[in-house]
Amino acid sequence: MSKPDELLVDVATLVESGHSNQMSLTVVAGGAVITGRLAPEAVWRQRVSEVLTDSARLGEFSAVFTATARREGPPEYLHFHMARILQGTVGIPETGGMYRVAIADVSAWTMGDFTYSEH
């Protein structure tokens, strides 16, 4: 999108102000369908830092994510927690991942996340 969807920016603003990670959302960005729960940036950064800290090879990168974000104005990114990229009938990764998506790159979105069932 050349101009971010104001309604989506409002949703992201509420997530940021409420410090909740319970808002489920599905977006299309760059042709990929990403589904999961939104988290405030600070919560997302902390979780990514924890995962990196636990990694023998990537631990040194954890400090980058513990730095406090210094942004003013409306959010520019969506921070997905427990998210999956949908490909056919599967979500990658199966357990969910941590994704950061620029709101300006979202071409379509809907409330809720998609799950697949073999039943």
Side-chain angles (χ1 to χ4, degrees), residues 10 16 21 25 29-30 39 41 43 45 47 58 60 65-66 88 90 98 101 106 110:
D10 290 346
E16 286 293 327
N21 65 349
L25 189 74
E41 182 176 0
V43 171
R45 282 174 172 262
R47 181 65 186 126
L58 302 174
E60 66 186 278
F65 292 91
T66 58
V90 298
M98 307 291 286
V101 178
V106 173
T110 188

Side-chain angles (χ1 to χ4, degrees), residues 2-102:
S2 58
K3 184 176 190 290
D5 183 322
E6 290 178 22
L7 186 54
L8 186 55
V9 171
D10 290 346
V11 169
T13 300
L14 281 173
V15 168
E16 286 293 327
S17 68
H19 302 289
S20 170
N21 65 349
Q22 298 303 306
M23 173 55 71
S24 295
L25 189 74
T26 299
V27 301
V28 177
V33 177
I34 301 170
T35 189
R37 289 189 301 184
L38 292 180
E41 182 176 0
V43 171
W44 183 87
R45 282 174 172 262
Q46 180 177 346
R47 181 65 186 126
V48 171
S49 176
E50 290 168 0
V51 170
L52 292 171
T53 297
D54 292 342
S55 170
R57 294 179 300 154
L58 302 174
E60 66 186 278
F61 292 98
S62 67
V64 172
F65 292 91
T66 58
T68 304
R70 292 178 188 73
R71 290 190 180 79
E72 293 189 20
E76 294 179 13
Y77 295 91
L78 301 171
H79 294 87
F80 283 91
H81 172 71
M82 296 180 64
R84 290 167 284 122
I85 296 173
L86 301 181
Q87 176 66 40
T89 59
V90 298
I92 305 165
E94 288 183 21
T95 58
M98 307 291 286
Y99 297 106
R100 176 175 159 125
V101 178

Side-chain angles (χ1 to χ4, degrees), residues 93-117:
E94 288 183 21
T95 58
M98 307 291 286
Y99 297 106
R100 176 175 159 125
V101 178
I103 294 173
D105 292 341
V106 173
S107 59
W109 61 277
T110 188
M111 303 303 290
D113 64 345
F114 287 95
T115 57
Y116 288 103
S117 173

